[in-house]
Amino acid sequence: MDFFWAFVVGGAICVVGQLLLDIFKLTPAHVMSSFVVAGAVLDGFNLYDNLIKFAGAGATVPITSFGHSLLHGAMTQAEEHGFIGVAVGIFQLTSAGIASAILFGFIVALIFKPKG
């Protein structure tokens, strides 16, 4: 049943993104930014952790989880270290993902000829 709910929730998030692209004619950058903000807002109301418990990878794989991780890390470190903890906390949970995206993007750019 875990796989089923992960598929349904992850698919629903993707359907919302596709509807935003097709019906509202938003650009992919607008959709991505909206999803990151939505994940942060849901985490602000303590709803995204419950979604992760329910759907597992269906909630942690989409880009909404990045917004959740940003805010979750910032709030955790802000409680411990105050204002400076916000800047530290943002990168604590997301640094591995950011670093790997930069590294793999660089490697792919070396292998393939970029357009434009």
Side-chain angles (χ1 to χ4, degrees), residues 7-23:
F7 177 78
V8 168
V9 171
I13 292 171
C14 293
V15 165
V16 169
Q18 194 64 47
L19 290 173
L20 290 173
L21 289 170
D22 293 342
I23 295 174

Side-chain angles (χ1 to χ4, degrees), residues 8-98:
V8 168
V9 171
I13 292 171
C14 293
V15 165
V16 169
Q18 194 64 47
L19 290 173
L20 290 173
L21 289 170
D22 293 342
I23 295 174
F24 297 105
K25 304 295 183 200
L26 296 177
T27 65
H30 287 115
V31 174
M32 182 181 65
S33 300
S34 299
F35 277 7
V36 170
V37 170
V41 168
L42 288 173
D43 186 56
F45 290 113
N46 293 322
L47 297 175
Y48 208 83
D49 286 328
N50 294 332
L51 185 63
I52 289 173
K53 288 177 188 172
F54 175 72
T60 57
V61 171
I63 193 70
T64 51
S65 180
F66 184 70
H68 161 261
S69 297
L70 285 174
L71 188 68
H72 199 75
M75 297 304 289
T76 302
Q77 291 299 316
E79 291 174 0
E80 291 181 26
H81 303 291
F83 186 71
I84 193 72
V86 173
V88 173
I90 286 175
F91 296 110
Q92 185 177 17
L93 293 176
T94 59
S95 61
I98 293 170

